[in-house]
Amino acid sequence: TSIVPCETRVLGDVNGDCVFNINDVAFSLIYLLESTVNFATARGARIQELVQYDPSISTRLDFNHDTVIDLTDVVYANFVNLDVVRVLGNITTSDISCDGNECALTVAVNAFFKDNTVATDVDTLFYVDIGTLFASPSVLSSNGVVIVSSKETLTGNLL
């Protein structure tokens, strides 16, 4: 695998060939396996060279955006490749705003199919796990607004 220049890097492309496909899933799995032996093999050394050349590979390997590269990312990448789930990009969150005892947090994402075409709200559902954000959310309404029984201290990662 070698990194080639891309006009626009496709979301999910972790092996640097400007497309997202099963090769990216395989690269993710190989990266994970090589990391268990500290990249000590010749293949592991090559992966380290690629990451040194393009440090964003490490970020792109974290498919589910939880800041940990693990088997969950490989499974997620495979589901994207099979068009079961979408690639997420441009994730943003608002500051939590509170009015009395009601607080609001806005999470915005762009969702893409594996060929980088935009997924619409007709064919895509987006769920946010806020369990680590609030001690005890009392209501999660259908429009995504969380109403908390009292102001809480934010302790989790927003992404």
Side-chain angles (χ1 to χ4, degrees):
T1 300
S2 61
I3 297 175
V4 297
C6 302
E7 186 174 315
T8 302
R9 182 69 60 196
V10 173
L11 288 173
D13 174 26
V14 295
N15 67 351
D17 64 358
C18 303
V19 295
F20 174 74
N21 55 30
I22 193 65
N23 294 329
D24 296 290
V25 178
F27 183 90
S28 299
L29 183 57
I30 291 167
Y31 177 95
L32 189 60
L33 292 171
E34 289 293 340
S35 72
T36 65
V37 294
N38 295 317
F39 303 94
T41 68
R43 180 175 60 183
R46 178 68 181 130
I47 288 173
Q48 282 189 316
E49 288 174 14
L50 289 171
V51 172
Q52 287 174 349
Y53 177 78
D54 183 0
S56 69
I57 289 173
S58 294
T59 304
R60 292 194 316 266
L61 282 163
D62 183 18
F63 278 90
N64 64 357
H65 304 283
D66 69 352
T67 69
V68 178
I69 300 169
D70 58 15
L71 190 57
T72 303
D73 296 298
V74 176
V75 171
Y76 181 82
N78 192 44
F79 283 163
V80 170
N81 182 61
L82 296 171
D83 285 327
V84 174
V85 298
R86 311 293 179 252
V87 179
L88 301 180
N90 306 321
I91 301 170
T92 60
T93 58
S94 69
D95 289 334
I96 295 176
S97 61
C98 295
D99 180 16
N101 287 333
E102 293 185 8
C103 297
L105 167 68
T106 302
V107 178
V109 300
N110 291 336
F112 301 90
F113 291 101
K114 69 179 180 180
D115 65 358
N116 225 33
T117 57
V118 176
T120 67
D121 60 357
V122 172
D123 51 29
T124 304
L125 296 175
F126 176 67
Y127 294 92
V128 177
D129 178 3
I130 60 157
T132 59
L133 297 179
F134 297 97
S136 57
S138 58
V139 177
L140 177 58
S141 69
S142 62
N143 66 359
V145 174
V146 178
I147 301 171
V148 181
S149 58
S150 63
K151 292 182 184 177
E152 302 286 346
T153 302
L154 196 60
T155 58
N157 185 345
L158 291 178
L159 298 179

